[in-house]
Amino acid sequence: MRPEGSSEKPGLVANVETATQLSREKSAALSSTGNYDFPNKNSGNKKVARLKFDDNSLISLLCGEHDKHLAHMEKALGVSIVPRGNFLSLSGPADAVATARSGLQALYDRLSRGLPVDSQEVEAVLRLGPPEKASGSAVDENLVIRTRKRHISPRSKNQAAYLQALRDGGLVFALGPAGTGKTYLAVAAAVSRLMKGEIDHVVLSRPAVEAGEQLGFLPGDLREKVDPYLRPLYDALHDMMPRNQVVKRMADGDIEVAPLAFMRGRTLSNAFVILDEAQNTTSVQMKMFLTRLGENANMVVTGDLSQVDLPHGTRSGLRDATEILDGTEGISIVHFDDGDVVRHPLVTQIVRAYDAFEKKTEAGREYMKTPSPGPDSAPRGKSKRKQT
C-alpha cells in the first residue's frame, strides 16, 4: 500500500524493475555472444547488432584506411557502422543490417586466412554476397590462387566452377559479358602455375585487331604494332607480378604475348595458353589455334559473343567451337552472366540494359534485315508530302 500523499504513479516501481532486468539480460547477452538484436521502437523493421572480433590486429584492415570500407558499406546499404575497440555496432533496416553483418564476417574470415581485403572485395561482398552464399558453398581453399602480388578467390558460383575447370586442366572455354573475370582469372591461374614450376611458359594471345589482323598500316615495328591490342593482357600480368619480374620473364621467353596470326605452325607443350577476345576469330583461325595444343598444356579460350566485331556475315569461330565441341570429354565450357560482373557497379547495369534492349527489339539482327529507305520512302511516323 502506497503512503498517503505519495506522488508515485501505480506500477511505476514495477516498470522500472522490469526495464532494469531487461537491460541486464541484454548486457549479459552482449558479453557472452558478441551479437544482439535490438528492435527499434519506432519501426518493426529496424534493428541494432554488435559484432565482436577476436584479433584486434585485423580490425584496422577490415575497416580500411580512415574507415573507408565501413563508409562504403554504410552508403551502399543505408546502415550505420560504428567501430568501438574490437566491436562493430550496426544499426539500420533489418535486411541491410543482416547483409552488413554477414559481409563483415566474410571479410574478416578472409583476413584471417591471410587474404587481402580491398575496395573491390568489399564491393563484391555487397553485390554478390559472402563467398559461401555467392558460390553456393564454402570457398574451397584449393581454388584460391596465390601470386606474388595478389591472392584471388572466386566471388560467384560461376567463377568457382571456372577456377575448378582451370585447375582440372585440358581445354576450357569461358563465355560471358565484360567484367566477369574471364581473362583475369585465367592469367592468374597461368602465373600461379608458372611460379610453381608446373609449366615452362605462358602464352597469351588475342586477335590483333577487331576484324582481320590488318597491322601493316600501323607505324613502328611488330611490337609497337600489336602492343595496343594486347595491352589488357599486360595489365593483368602486372597485377599479378612485380613489373621487373614481368619484364624479365618476357625477356627470358617464360611469358609470351603474341597476336593470333603468329600461332600457325606451332606446337605449344608444357605451356598455359590463353586466347582472349576469341569472339573475333573466324572458324578457320579458331580451328588453327585449338590444334596447337601440345603435351602437358592447358588452353583457355575467352570471349563475349555479344561483342563480335567481325564483318557482317562472318560467323564467329568461338560460337562454332562451343557448339561443335560441347559435350566432348576433357573440354569445359563455362558461361558467365551479368550476376558475375565484378567491375564498377554500373557495368552490371549497362550489361543488363543492353541485354533487355536486344531481347526486346532483337537489335542488330532485325536492323540488318530491314531494307534502307528508298528515295520515295517517307520517314517513319510521317506521311509523304503531297505534290502540288
Side-chain angles (χ1 to χ4, degrees), residues 299-311:
M299 184 173 283
V300 182
V301 180
T302 70
D304 179 3
L305 289 173
S306 69
Q307 296 190 28
V308 178
D309 297 313
L310 295 171

Side-chain angles (χ1 to χ4, degrees), residues 35-234:
N35 288 277
Y36 196 87
D37 296 337
F38 302 95
N40 189 304
K41 293 182 179 181
N42 297 325
S43 172
N45 194 37
K46 298 282 186 179
K47 74 173 183 179
V48 176
R50 193 160 87 154
L51 288 174
K52 179 182 179 181
F53 301 103
D54 297 328
D55 193 340
N56 289 338
S57 64
L58 299 181
I59 298 297
S60 59
L61 298 176
L62 178 64
C63 296
E65 186 178 4
H66 303 302
D67 294 339
K68 65 178 182 180
H69 295 163
L70 302 185
H72 190 165
M73 281 192 154
E74 288 179 327
K75 182 177 180 181
L77 299 175
V79 298
S80 172
I81 306 175
V82 180
R84 298 181 186 278
N86 62 335
F87 288 90
L88 290 179
S89 297
L90 293 73
S91 61
D95 291 343
V97 168
T99 300
R101 177 161 51 182
S102 60
L104 287 167
Q105 188 63 58
L107 293 173
Y108 179 81
D109 292 343
R110 179 180 174 85
L111 290 168
S112 300
R113 300 197 306 269
L115 301 176
V117 167
D118 55 19
S119 298
Q120 292 181 342
E121 292 295 336
V122 176
E123 180 64 31
V125 165
L126 290 173
R127 292 192 296 111
L128 304 176
E132 62 274 9
K133 179 181 177 181
S135 60
S137 60
V139 176
D140 186 351
E141 286 296 325
N142 292 324
L143 297 182
V144 177
I145 300 175
R146 293 173 171 83
T147 66
R148 289 281 185 87
K149 294 179 67 175
R150 295 185 66 84
H151 291 178
I152 301 159
S153 58
R155 295 177 176 176
S156 69
K157 185 175 181 179
N158 289 330
Q159 285 195 354
Y162 184 38
L163 288 178
Q164 184 61 57
L166 294 176
R167 188 166 176 264
D168 293 341
L171 173 59
V172 180
F173 289 92
L175 291 77
T180 51
K182 304 183 300 293
T183 303
Y184 190 83
L185 292 176
V187 172
V191 170
S192 177
R193 294 197 61 189
L194 179 66
M195 301 304 293
K196 293 177 181 177
E198 297 176 357
I199 55 174
D200 293 337
H201 60 291
V202 175
V203 180
L204 308 175
S205 183
R206 59 166 22 194
V209 292
E210 287 78 3
E213 299 187 357
Q214 300 172 359
L215 304 177
F217 70 95
L218 294 174
D221 58 20
L222 174 63
R223 179 158 184 162
E224 291 173 328
K225 290 176 186 290
V226 302
D227 267 3
Y229 302 101
L230 305 178
R231 177 52 54 188
L233 299 177
Y234 287 116

